[in-house]
Amino acid sequence: MVNWKLVSDRKKGQVNNSIPEEWQVPGISLDMESSGFLNTSDYLDTILPPNEKALTTLSASELASRIHRGELSSYKVCYAFCHRAALAHQILNCCTEIFFDKALKRAKELDNIFEVTKTTVGPLHGIPVSLKDQINLPELDSAIGYVALSGKKSTSKSLIANVLEEMGAVFYVKTTVPTAMIASETVSNLHGYTWNAINLNFTSGGSSGGEGALIGAGGSVLGVGTDIAGSIRIPASFQGLYGLKPSYGRIPYMNVKNSYAGQEIMPSVIGPMARSLADLEMFARAIVSCETWNIDPNIVPIPWRDMSFLAKRKLRLGFLWDDHLMKPHPPITRALEETFNALKFHGHEIVQWDFPYQKDVLDLAKEVLGADGGHEVKLLCEEGGEPILDCLKYAFPSLNDESSSISMGVNEWWKLAEKKNFLKEKFLEHWRETANATSSGEEIDAIISPVWPFAGFEAHAIPFDPINYTVPINLLDCTSVVLPVTTVDVTVDKKEHDYIPTNEDDASVKDYYDLARFDKMPVCIQVVCKRMEEEKALAISSAVLDCLKGTFK
Amino acid sequence: MVNWKLVSDRKKGQVNNSIPEEWQVPGISLDMESSGFLNTSDYLDTILPPNEKALTTLSASELASRIHRGELSSYKVCYAFCHRAALAHQILNCCTEIFFDKALKRAKELDNIFEVTKTTVGPLHGIPVSLKDQINLPELDSAIGYVALSGKKSTSKSLIANVLEEMGAVFYVKTTVPTAMIASETVSNLHGYTWNAINLNFTSGGSSGGEGALIGAGGSVLGVGTDIAGSIRIPASFQGLYGLKPSYGRIPYMNVKNSYAGQEIMPSVIGPMARSLADLEMFARAIVSCETWNIDPNIVPIPWRDMSFLAKRKLRLGFLWDDHLMKPHPPITRALEETFNALKFHGHEIVQWDFPYQKDVLDLAKEVLGADGGHEVKLLCEEGGEPILDCLKYAFPSLNDESSSISMGVNEWWKLAEKKNFLKEKFLEHWRETANATSSGEEIDAIISPVWPFAGFEAHAIPFDPINYTVPINLLDCTSVVLPVTTVDVTVDKKEHDYIPTNEDDASVKDYYDLARFDKMPVCIQVVCKRMEEEKALAISSAVLDCLKGTFK
């Protein structure tokens, strides 16, 4: 039997030792707390050299143009992000692999190329990109939170890493995930707990929680996450970031380590997380332009499409206020209201979105996630000699009961696939029917929806997974963009005392609303488009943001 | 227990009784044989009125333009095809549903519309289209060869039927399939045996065997088939027709009755069969132009793409001569050679195609097809009280042994999906590597391959399924166009006596080569392109045909 604590201690030691000594700050979390900070990003701004602070607050797009114009060196940018990531990790515990030396060497090489050729190698020249632990890089682990997989170094590179590097990206860290990546809280026996960059009492979210924390703290400007039930969108939302959950087959997942790799009814997808919407588009456009359909058989040959036609007319948007199964907290509803008002003010048309099969979609998604009764999780945890964490039991209730962990048979699985197709058909039908509700008689362009029913949560506080507003998007294979709208404000967001919950989880959600707890936490919304409409979701998100800022013409 | 023979007799009686009395010809098969004919099409040409014979030998594209120019009425066209189909069915046993009255009424309506509006309703205005039994039409069975499903009328219409009708198509028959549609021979306890239109001793092929027979006999000009292991391509090949097997997600399969509906590792696809290549393109272009991705969630939003760039340069083609597991008979190899020579003569570049994982692909495809050990087939046959036919046991060996019919579990199924992805990646890699073998350093455009290792077979003659050249294309989700190249010629196609078979099935295939048996049987080849390249496969097929005809410029 493996002693999982030894493996874990060794791994954590390795990660910390890979931080250069001059950047190691023992007791940094205590320093931060004694300085009165809960927000890691704010705290880091106070202790970093001003030039590094300045560099690490720029967007990836801004960095890319300054590097392209010769105003910034890749090395300087890389150095600043390595330093900030090193500090962020020591506070938030968000990295699984740290390799600054390789990154700085690569940045130097890119600078040399630029000096000789007077041009950049691609649209991401010199941009530091953080990678969720799943993405394979040679000679590094892709342990995805499992003790059993620690120390099993990859021998190859994920296609997306190849493509990003070809376009000039610089890798410097890989980031934490919950064991098996089926949880909305990032915690594992291997790496421990990853904290929220905005509030140290909160979870960073999951499963791309390491990305959420690192980008939220400014230790990364652009990161790669994955999403099977909300794993890009939840941490983006909990840290007030932008995230793109594409449809399956648009951004290459080839040779990325995964749980349940052959589960194709509701496959995990890969996408960017960032602090600016433009950065999501820069990422997606660059990847799609590489025509990876000639390499990854699951990529569909659709080039990046122009969406300028959308700017020439008013938008038509469906609003999902509440799924009637889990009522969002008041700050979430306020974020939707503010978006609604801003869109209305600018003349866009809004209809109600109430999909009659919402509960069926949610139930089916949970059946799909739990189809093997936790068989794979159990095997790998046993192999590593580690106990199964509670959060995994939310996805696999049968893990609570040793005897009942039974995989379903293939005929039952095929029935789930049939049901999925039925629900996707109904979804498109409902979407088409919105044409009856708009003044133009045309269907809606997108749905505006909550991401999470509340503005994040404290460590271990929620004994279930409120994925009501995220996982249906996965089952339906829609495109979704998460964008920050507001923050919780104790002076305006009051508890709704007279609401009568419709079920037990809904009651728990209501109970969890304690105003002081959430103050200043970010609130994000989702802009959801149909399958394979990444360009459209991004363009509409941009219009929504402009409305919110009042700059839309 | 249902008495399956009663159900079958009743169903066969219904089908025959739905033929107008004046078109019923008792003993027509005997008449044909006593007149010395094996080829139904040739025979029908001798007994039909000259104007009907003339109409039923035109292509769908020709019919469409003549109707569009007002030179032909939809009614006349419909009448001619109904009559010819009625006769063809009485010889070949190729229809499951016959509804000429509705068809003629619809054709009349289309003529009225044309008279009033002076234009056609769509590109298929007045074109009779035959439909494989799976396609749901209200008030008709979609029994897919099962006794248990006979008499269970559909209440709705398949999306593809809706779309075809919107474009002006006229439905008049549905066509036979083997039970469960997992066989290369069209036979069921419900409908009996469907014979080959070119040679009455031969099978029509399967599973779209009814389509193959009917189109081969001239009783249909354009039909809709489906293909999970070769089911469009095999009957097309056995009758010397054109067939398009698209990738999954290009032509809508929504609300089409199916076996194993949720089996999505290697899903069945739907596509056209016809007597001219132009008709396949007319069909596919028309369907794609309807943007069914707004209705069918599995359709990918790719509009029909222009391929005229291909005419401006020489083509690069890979040739798959032999998979080294099942050597094609000499006439098949000769068809490839003639194609090779014609392409070479016209300056196109040819490289060898030898995919190292060909056997792995074939083996995996068979594992996928047999994943439930015949569970669904067994249940439905039991429900209908019918015995399981031998041909179903080729796909499900465990049906031979009552005790071993065990479905696999979901974890095992997911492993198959992973393996499929691995093989598809290797396939694309091998495709890219062809760039090393071409003079331009560019990869090949398409692969030229056999369809079936021999030119059809006689009823019940082959106790296994030689799907070596068809099913890998399904697993890899490539596009394939089948086109006729030549016919078997006793004067040139000699037995290759010194070939030493590599396995038992290969030996059976060699043994089956008896020259006299195959004389005059058609020989087709496949033009295989990558996933979602329907336009390209059709354009290259057209170029190949031009080379074969010597008219390519």
Side-chain angles (χ1 to χ4, degrees), chain A residues 254 260 262 264 294 297-298 300 372 407-408 410-411 413-414 417 420-421 425 432 530-531, chain B residues 254 260 262 264 294-295 297-298 300 372 407-408 410-411 413-414 417 420-421 425 432 530-531:
Chain A
M254 185 173 144
Y260 306 108
E264 297 187 330
N294 291 315
N298 289 314
V300 166
D372 87 331
S407 285
M408 65 174 61
V410 75
N411 292 94
W413 180 250
W414 293 346
K420 171 206 68 176
N421 285 328
E425 289 167 12
R432 292 196 304 280
K530 291 196 284 192
R531 184 177 174 223
Chain B
M254 186 173 143
Y260 306 107
E264 297 187 331
N294 292 315
I295 304 172
N298 289 315
V300 167
D372 88 332
S407 285
M408 65 173 63
V410 76
N411 292 93
W413 180 250
W414 294 347
K420 170 206 67 176
N421 285 328
E425 289 168 11
R432 292 196 304 281
K530 291 195 284 191
R531 183 177 173 224

CSV table of all heavy atoms in Angstrom, one decimal, chain A residues 254 260 262 264 294 297-298 300 372 407-408 410-411 413-414 417 420-421 425 432 530-531, chain B residues 254 260 262 264 294-295 297-298 300 372 407-408 410-411 413-414 417 420-421 425 432 530-531:
chain,number,residue,atom,x,y,z
A,254,MET,N,-7.0,16.9,-27.9
A,254,MET,CA,-6.2,15.7,-28.2
A,254,MET,C,-5.0,15.6,-27.3
A,254,MET,O,-4.2,16.5,-27.1
A,254,MET,CB,-5.7,15.7,-29.7
A,254,MET,CG,-5.0,14.5,-30.1
A,254,MET,SD,-4.7,14.6,-31.9
A,254,MET,CE,-3.1,13.8,-32.0
A,260,TYR,N,-12.4,9.5,-17.3
A,260,TYR,CA,-13.4,9.1,-18.2
A,260,TYR,C,-13.2,9.5,-19.6
A,260,TYR,O,-14.1,10.0,-20.3
A,260,TYR,CB,-14.8,9.6,-17.7
A,260,TYR,CG,-15.0,9.2,-16.2
A,260,TYR,CD1,-14.9,10.2,-15.2
A,260,TYR,CD2,-15.1,7.9,-15.9
A,260,TYR,CE1,-15.0,9.8,-13.9
A,260,TYR,CE2,-15.2,7.5,-14.5
A,260,TYR,CZ,-15.2,8.5,-13.6
A,260,TYR,OH,-15.3,8.2,-12.3
A,262,GLY,N,-13.2,8.2,-22.5
A,262,GLY,CA,-14.1,7.7,-23.6
A,262,GLY,C,-15.5,8.0,-23.4
A,262,GLY,O,-16.4,7.6,-24.1
A,264,GLU,N,-18.4,10.0,-24.1
A,264,GLU,CA,-18.6,10.9,-25.1
A,264,GLU,C,-20.1,11.4,-25.2
A,264,GLU,O,-20.4,12.1,-26.2
A,264,GLU,CB,-18.2,10.3,-26.5
A,264,GLU,CG,-16.7,10.0,-26.5
A,264,GLU,CD,-16.1,9.6,-27.8
A,264,GLU,OE1,-16.9,8.9,-28.6
A,264,GLU,OE2,-15.0,9.8,-28.1
A,294,ASN,N,-6.9,18.8,-39.0
A,294,ASN,CA,-6.1,17.9,-39.8
A,294,ASN,C,-5.2,17.0,-38.8
A,294,ASN,O,-4.5,16.1,-39.3
A,294,ASN,CB,-5.1,18.7,-40.7
A,294,ASN,CG,-5.9,19.3,-41.8
A,294,ASN,OD1,-6.8,18.6,-42.4
A,294,ASN,ND2,-5.7,20.6,-42.1
A,297,PRO,N,-8.9,14.4,-34.7
A,297,PRO,CA,-10.1,13.9,-35.5
A,297,PRO,C,-11.4,14.4,-34.9
A,297,PRO,O,-12.5,14.3,-35.6
A,297,PRO,CB,-10.1,12.4,-35.3
A,297,PRO,CG,-9.2,12.1,-34.1
A,297,PRO,CD,-8.2,13.2,-34.1
A,298,ASN,N,-11.4,14.9,-33.7
A,298,ASN,CA,-12.7,15.4,-33.1
A,298,ASN,C,-13.0,16.9,-33.4
A,298,ASN,O,-14.0,17.4,-33.0
A,298,ASN,CB,-12.7,15.1,-31.6
A,298,ASN,CG,-12.9,13.6,-31.4
A,298,ASN,OD1,-13.7,13.0,-32.0
A,298,ASN,ND2,-12.1,13.1,-30.5
A,300,VAL,N,-14.0,20.0,-35.7
A,300,VAL,CA,-14.8,20.1,-36.9
A,300,VAL,C,-14.2,21.2,-37.8
A,300,VAL,O,-13.8,22.3,-37.2
A,300,VAL,CB,-16.2,20.5,-36.4
A,300,VAL,CG1,-17.1,21.0,-37.6
A,300,VAL,CG2,-16.9,19.3,-35.8
A,372,ASP,N,-20.7,5.3,-14.1
A,372,ASP,CA,-19.8,4.1,-13.8
A,372,ASP,C,-19.8,4.0,-12.2
A,372,ASP,O,-19.0,3.2,-11.7
A,372,ASP,CB,-18.4,4.2,-14.4
A,372,ASP,CG,-17.5,5.0,-13.5
A,372,ASP,OD1,-17.9,5.9,-12.8
A,372,ASP,OD2,-16.3,4.7,-13.5
A,407,SER,N,-21.2,-0.1,-12.2
A,407,SER,CA,-21.3,0.5,-13.6
A,407,SER,C,-22.5,0.1,-14.3
A,407,SER,O,-23.0,-1.0,-14.2
A,407,SER,CB,-20.1,0.1,-14.4
A,407,SER,OG,-18.9,0.7,-14.0
A,408,MET,N,-23.0,1.0,-15.1
A,408,MET,CA,-24.2,0.6,-15.9
A,408,MET,C,-23.7,-0.2,-17.2
A,408,MET,O,-22.5,-0.1,-17.6
A,408,MET,CB,-25.1,1.8,-16.3
A,408,MET,CG,-24.5,2.8,-17.2
A,408,MET,SD,-25.7,4.1,-17.7
A,408,MET,CE,-26.2,4.8,-16.2
A,410,VAL,N,-23.9,-1.3,-21.3
A,410,VAL,CA,-23.8,-0.5,-22.6
A,410,VAL,C,-25.2,-0.2,-23.1
A,410,VAL,O,-25.5,0.9,-23.6
A,410,VAL,CB,-22.9,-1.2,-23.6
A,410,VAL,CG1,-23.6,-2.4,-24.3
A,410,VAL,CG2,-22.5,-0.2,-24.6
A,411,ASN,N,-26.2,-1.1,-23.0
A,411,ASN,CA,-27.5,-0.8,-23.5
A,411,ASN,C,-28.2,0.4,-22.7
A,411,ASN,O,-28.8,1.2,-23.3
A,411,ASN,CB,-28.5,-2.0,-23.4
A,411,ASN,CG,-28.0,-3.1,-24.3
A,411,ASN,OD1,-27.3,-4.0,-24.0
A,411,ASN,ND2,-28.4,-3.0,-25.6
A,413,TRP,N,-26.5,2.7,-21.2
A,413,TRP,CA,-25.7,3.9,-21.6
A,413,TRP,C,-26.3,4.4,-23.0
A,413,TRP,O,-26.4,5.6,-23.1
A,413,TRP,CB,-24.2,3.5,-21.8
A,413,TRP,CG,-23.3,4.6,-22.2
A,413,TRP,CD1,-22.7,4.7,-23.4
A,413,TRP,CD2,-23.0,5.8,-21.5
A,413,TRP,NE1,-22.0,5.9,-23.5
A,413,TRP,CE2,-22.1,6.5,-22.3
A,413,TRP,CE3,-23.3,6.2,-20.2
A,413,TRP,CZ2,-21.5,7.8,-21.8
A,413,TRP,CZ3,-22.7,7.4,-19.8
A,413,TRP,CH2,-21.9,8.2,-20.6
A,414,TRP,N,-26.6,3.5,-23.9
A,414,TRP,CA,-27.1,4.0,-25.2
A,414,TRP,C,-28.5,4.7,-25.0
A,414,TRP,O,-28.8,5.6,-25.7
A,414,TRP,CB,-27.3,2.8,-26.1
A,414,TRP,CG,-25.9,2.2,-26.5
A,414,TRP,CD1,-24.7,2.8,-26.4
A,414,TRP,CD2,-25.7,0.9,-27.2
A,414,TRP,NE1,-23.7,1.9,-26.9
A,414,TRP,CE2,-24.3,0.8,-27.4
A,414,TRP,CE3,-26.5,-0.1,-27.6
A,414,TRP,CZ2,-23.7,-0.3,-28.0
A,414,TRP,CZ3,-26.0,-1.2,-28.2
A,414,TRP,CH2,-24.6,-1.3,-28.4
A,417,ALA,N,-27.8,8.2,-24.2
A,417,ALA,CA,-27.5,8.9,-25.4
A,417,ALA,C,-28.7,9.3,-26.2
A,417,ALA,O,-28.8,10.4,-26.7
A,417,ALA,CB,-26.5,8.1,-26.3
A,420,LYS,N,-30.4,12.1,-24.5
A,420,LYS,CA,-29.6,13.3,-24.7
A,420,LYS,C,-30.0,13.9,-26.0
A,420,LYS,O,-30.3,15.1,-26.1
A,420,LYS,CB,-28.1,13.0,-24.7
A,420,LYS,CG,-27.3,14.2,-25.2
A,420,LYS,CD,-26.0,13.8,-25.7
A,420,LYS,CE,-26.1,13.0,-27.1
A,420,LYS,NZ,-24.9,12.6,-27.7
A,421,ASN,N,-30.1,13.1,-27.1
A,421,ASN,CA,-30.5,13.6,-28.4
A,421,ASN,C,-31.9,14.2,-28.4
A,421,ASN,O,-32.2,15.2,-29.0
A,421,ASN,CB,-30.3,12.5,-29.5
A,421,ASN,CG,-28.9,12.2,-29.8
A,421,ASN,OD1,-28.0,13.2,-29.7
A,421,ASN,ND2,-28.5,11.0,-30.1
A,425,GLU,N,-32.9,18.0,-29.1
A,425,GLU,CA,-33.8,18.4,-30.2
A,425,GLU,C,-34.9,19.3,-29.6
A,425,GLU,O,-35.3,20.3,-30.2
A,425,GLU,CB,-34.5,17.1,-30.7
A,425,GLU,CG,-33.6,16.3,-31.6
A,425,GLU,CD,-34.2,14.9,-31.8
A,425,GLU,OE1,-35.4,14.6,-31.5
A,425,GLU,OE2,-33.5,14.0,-32.3
A,432,ARG,N,-36.1,27.8,-31.4
A,432,ARG,CA,-36.8,28.3,-32.6
A,432,ARG,C,-38.1,29.0,-32.3
A,432,ARG,O,-38.5,30.0,-32.9
A,432,ARG,CB,-37.1,27.1,-33.6
A,432,ARG,CG,-35.9,26.5,-34.2
A,432,ARG,CD,-36.2,25.7,-35.5
A,432,ARG,NE,-37.2,24.6,-35.2
A,432,ARG,CZ,-36.9,23.4,-34.7
A,432,ARG,NH1,-35.7,23.1,-34.3
A,432,ARG,NH2,-37.9,22.5,-34.5
A,530,LYS,N,-25.9,28.7,-29.3
A,530,LYS,CA,-26.1,27.4,-29.7
A,530,LYS,C,-24.7,26.7,-30.0
A,530,LYS,O,-23.7,27.3,-29.9
A,530,LYS,CB,-27.0,27.3,-31.0
A,530,LYS,CG,-28.4,27.7,-30.6
A,530,LYS,CD,-29.4,27.4,-31.7
A,530,LYS,CE,-29.3,28.3,-32.9
A,530,LYS,NZ,-30.4,28.1,-33.8
A,531,ARG,N,-24.8,25.4,-30.3
A,531,ARG,CA,-23.6,24.6,-30.6
A,531,ARG,C,-22.7,25.2,-31.7
A,531,ARG,O,-23.2,25.7,-32.7
A,531,ARG,CB,-24.0,23.2,-31.0
A,531,ARG,CG,-22.9,22.2,-31.2
A,531,ARG,CD,-23.5,20.9,-31.6
A,531,ARG,NE,-22.4,19.9,-32.0
A,531,ARG,CZ,-22.5,19.1,-33.0
A,531,ARG,NH1,-23.5,19.0,-33.8
A,531,ARG,NH2,-21.5,18.3,-33.2
B,254,MET,N,-32.2,12.8,-37.7
B,254,MET,CA,-33.2,13.0,-36.7
B,254,MET,C,-34.5,12.3,-36.9
B,254,MET,O,-35.1,12.4,-38.0
B,254,MET,CB,-33.4,14.5,-36.5
B,254,MET,CG,-34.3,14.8,-35.3
B,254,MET,SD,-34.3,16.7,-35.0
B,254,MET,CE,-35.9,16.9,-34.5
B,260,TYR,N,-30.0,0.2,-32.1
B,260,TYR,CA,-28.9,0.7,-31.3
B,260,TYR,C,-28.8,2.2,-31.5
B,260,TYR,O,-27.7,2.8,-31.7
B,260,TYR,CB,-27.6,0.1,-31.7
B,260,TYR,CG,-27.7,-1.4,-31.7
B,260,TYR,CD1,-27.7,-2.2,-32.9
B,260,TYR,CD2,-27.8,-2.0,-30.5
B,260,TYR,CE1,-27.9,-3.5,-32.8
B,260,TYR,CE2,-27.9,-3.4,-30.4
B,260,TYR,CZ,-28.0,-4.1,-31.6
B,260,TYR,OH,-28.1,-5.5,-31.5
B,262,GLY,N,-28.6,4.8,-29.6
B,262,GLY,CA,-27.7,5.6,-28.8
B,262,GLY,C,-26.2,5.2,-28.9
B,262,GLY,O,-25.4,5.7,-28.2
B,264,GLU,N,-23.0,5.7,-30.2
B,264,GLU,CA,-22.5,6.8,-30.9
B,264,GLU,C,-20.9,6.8,-31.1
B,264,GLU,O,-20.4,7.7,-31.6
B,264,GLU,CB,-22.8,8.1,-30.1
B,264,GLU,CG,-24.3,8.3,-30.0
B,264,GLU,CD,-24.7,9.7,-29.3
B,264,GLU,OE1,-24.0,10.2,-28.5
B,264,GLU,OE2,-25.8,10.2,-29.7
B,294,ASN,N,-30.2,23.9,-37.2
B,294,ASN,CA,-31.2,24.6,-36.3
B,294,ASN,C,-32.3,23.6,-35.8
B,294,ASN,O,-33.1,24.1,-35.0
B,294,ASN,CB,-31.8,25.8,-37.0
B,294,ASN,CG,-30.7,26.8,-37.3
B,294,ASN,OD1,-29.9,27.2,-36.4
B,294,ASN,ND2,-30.7,27.4,-38.5
B,295,ILE,N,-32.3,22.4,-36.3
B,295,ILE,CA,-33.4,21.5,-35.9
B,295,ILE,C,-32.8,20.2,-35.3
B,295,ILE,O,-33.2,19.8,-34.3
B,295,ILE,CB,-34.3,21.1,-37.1
B,295,ILE,CG1,-34.8,22.4,-37.8
B,295,ILE,CG2,-35.4,20.2,-36.7
B,295,ILE,CD1,-35.6,22.2,-39.1
B,297,PRO,N,-29.8,18.5,-33.6
B,297,PRO,CA,-28.6,18.9,-32.8
B,297,PRO,C,-27.3,18.2,-33.2
B,297,PRO,O,-26.2,18.7,-32.9
B,297,PRO,CB,-29.0,18.5,-31.4
B,297,PRO,CG,-30.0,17.5,-31.5
B,297,PRO,CD,-30.8,17.8,-32.7
B,298,ASN,N,-27.4,17.2,-34.0
B,298,ASN,CA,-26.2,16.5,-34.4
B,298,ASN,C,-25.6,17.0,-35.7
B,298,ASN,O,-24.6,16.5,-36.2
B,298,ASN,CB,-26.4,15.0,-34.4
B,298,ASN,CG,-26.6,14.4,-33.0
B,298,ASN,OD1,-25.8,14.8,-32.1
B,298,ASN,ND2,-27.6,13.6,-32.8
B,300,VAL,N,-23.7,19.6,-38.0
B,300,VAL,CA,-22.7,20.6,-37.8
B,300,VAL,C,-22.9,21.8,-38.8
B,300,VAL,O,-23.2,21.5,-40.0
B,300,VAL,CB,-21.3,20.0,-38.0
B,300,VAL,CG1,-20.2,21.0,-38.2
B,300,VAL,CG2,-21.0,19.0,-36.9
B,372,ASP,N,-23.2,-5.2,-27.5
B,372,ASP,CA,-24.2,-5.6,-26.6
B,372,ASP,C,-24.5,-7.1,-26.8
B,372,ASP,O,-25.5,-7.6,-26.2
B,372,ASP,CB,-25.5,-4.8,-26.7
B,372,ASP,CG,-26.4,-5.3,-27.8
B,372,ASP,OD1,-26.0,-5.9,-28.8
B,372,ASP,OD2,-27.7,-5.0,-27.7
B,407,SER,N,-23.9,-8.1,-22.6
B,407,SER,CA,-23.5,-6.7,-22.9
B,407,SER,C,-22.3,-6.3,-22.2
B,407,SER,O,-22.1,-6.8,-21.0
B,407,SER,CB,-24.6,-5.8,-22.5
B,407,SER,OG,-25.7,-5.8,-23.3
B,408,MET,N,-21.5,-5.5,-22.8
B,408,MET,CA,-20.3,-5.0,-22.0
B,408,MET,C,-20.8,-3.8,-21.1
B,408,MET,O,-21.8,-3.3,-21.2
B,408,MET,CB,-19.2,-4.5,-23.0
B,408,MET,CG,-19.5,-3.4,-23.9
B,408,MET,SD,-18.0,-2.8,-24.8
B,408,MET,CE,-17.6,-4.3,-25.8
B,410,VAL,N,-20.2,-0.1,-19.1
B,410,VAL,CA,-19.9,1.3,-19.6
B,410,VAL,C,-18.4,1.6,-19.6
B,410,VAL,O,-17.9,2.3,-20.5
B,410,VAL,CB,-20.8,2.3,-18.9
B,410,VAL,CG1,-20.2,2.6,-17.5
B,410,VAL,CG2,-20.9,3.6,-19.7
B,411,ASN,N,-17.6,1.1,-18.6
B,411,ASN,CA,-16.2,1.4,-18.6
B,411,ASN,C,-15.5,0.8,-19.8
B,411,ASN,O,-14.6,1.4,-20.4
B,411,ASN,CB,-15.6,0.9,-17.3
B,411,ASN,CG,-16.0,1.7,-16.1
B,411,ASN,OD1,-17.0,1.4,-15.4
B,411,ASN,ND2,-15.4,2.9,-15.8
B,413,TRP,N,-16.9,0.1,-22.6
B,413,TRP,CA,-17.4,0.9,-23.8
B,413,TRP,C,-16.6,2.1,-23.9
B,413,TRP,O,-16.2,2.5,-25.1
B,413,TRP,CB,-18.9,1.2,-23.6
B,413,TRP,CG,-19.5,2.0,-24.7
B,413,TRP,CD1,-19.9,3.3,-24.7
B,413,TRP,CD2,-19.8,1.5,-26.1
B,413,TRP,NE1,-20.4,3.7,-25.9
B,413,TRP,CE2,-20.3,2.6,-26.8
B,413,TRP,CE3,-19.6,0.3,-26.7
B,413,TRP,CZ2,-20.7,2.6,-28.1
B,413,TRP,CZ3,-19.9,0.3,-28.1
B,413,TRP,CH2,-20.5,1.4,-28.7
B,414,TRP,N,-16.3,2.8,-22.8
B,414,TRP,CA,-15.5,4.0,-22.9
B,414,TRP,C,-14.1,3.7,-23.4
B,414,TRP,O,-13.5,4.5,-24.1
B,414,TRP,CB,-15.4,4.7,-21.5
B,414,TRP,CG,-16.8,5.2,-21.1
B,414,TRP,CD1,-17.9,5.4,-21.8
B,414,TRP,CD2,-17.1,5.7,-19.8
B,414,TRP,NE1,-18.9,5.9,-21.0
B,414,TRP,CE2,-18.5,6.1,-19.8
B,414,TRP,CE3,-16.4,5.8,-18.5
B,414,TRP,CZ2,-19.1,6.6,-18.6
B,414,TRP,CZ3,-17.1,6.3,-17.4
B,414,TRP,CH2,-18.4,6.6,-17.5
B,417,ALA,N,-14.2,3.8,-27.0
B,417,ALA,CA,-14.2,5.1,-27.6
B,417,ALA,C,-12.8,5.7,-27.6
B,417,ALA,O,-12.4,6.4,-28.5
B,417,ALA,CB,-15.2,6.0,-26.7
B,420,LYS,N,-10.9,4.2,-30.4
B,420,LYS,CA,-11.4,4.8,-31.7
B,420,LYS,C,-10.7,6.2,-31.9
B,420,LYS,O,-10.2,6.4,-33.0
B,420,LYS,CB,-12.9,5.1,-31.6
B,420,LYS,CG,-13.4,5.9,-32.8
B,420,LYS,CD,-14.7,6.6,-32.4
B,420,LYS,CE,-14.5,7.7,-31.4
B,420,LYS,NZ,-15.7,8.5,-31.0
B,421,ASN,N,-10.6,7.0,-30.8
B,421,ASN,CA,-10.0,8.3,-31.0
B,421,ASN,C,-8.5,8.1,-31.3
B,421,ASN,O,-8.0,8.8,-32.2
B,421,ASN,CB,-10.2,9.1,-29.7
B,421,ASN,CG,-11.6,9.7,-29.6
B,421,ASN,OD1,-12.2,10.0,-30.6
B,421,ASN,ND2,-12.1,9.8,-28.4
B,425,GLU,N,-6.7,9.4,-34.7
B,425,GLU,CA,-5.5,10.3,-34.7
B,425,GLU,C,-4.4,9.7,-35.6
B,425,GLU,O,-3.8,10.4,-36.4
B,425,GLU,CB,-5.0,10.4,-33.3
B,425,GLU,CG,-5.9,11.3,-32.4
B,425,GLU,CD,-5.6,11.2,-30.9
B,425,GLU,OE1,-4.5,10.6,-30.6
B,425,GLU,OE2,-6.4,11.6,-30.1
B,432,ARG,N,-1.4,12.8,-43.2
B,432,ARG,CA,-0.5,14.0,-43.3
B,432,ARG,C,0.9,13.5,-43.8
B,432,ARG,O,1.5,14.2,-44.6
B,432,ARG,CB,-0.2,14.6,-41.9
B,432,ARG,CG,-1.4,15.4,-41.4
B,432,ARG,CD,-1.1,16.3,-40.2
B,432,ARG,NE,-0.4,15.7,-39.1
B,432,ARG,CZ,-0.9,15.0,-38.2
B,432,ARG,NH1,-2.2,14.8,-38.2
B,432,ARG,NH2,-0.2,14.5,-37.2
B,530,LYS,N,-11.5,12.8,-46.1
B,530,LYS,CA,-11.5,13.0,-44.6
B,530,LYS,C,-12.9,13.3,-44.1
B,530,LYS,O,-13.9,13.5,-44.9
B,530,LYS,CB,-10.5,14.0,-44.2
B,530,LYS,CG,-9.1,13.5,-44.5
B,530,LYS,CD,-8.0,14.3,-43.7
B,530,LYS,CE,-7.7,15.6,-44.4
B,530,LYS,NZ,-6.5,16.2,-43.9
B,531,ARG,N,-13.0,13.4,-42.8
B,531,ARG,CA,-14.3,13.7,-42.2
B,531,ARG,C,-14.9,15.1,-42.7
B,531,ARG,O,-14.1,16.0,-42.9
B,531,ARG,CB,-14.1,13.8,-40.7
B,531,ARG,CG,-15.3,14.1,-39.8
B,531,ARG,CD,-14.9,14.0,-38.3
B,531,ARG,NE,-16.1,14.4,-37.5
B,531,ARG,CZ,-16.0,15.3,-36.5
B,531,ARG,NH1,-14.8,15.8,-36.1
B,531,ARG,NH2,-17.1,15.6,-35.8
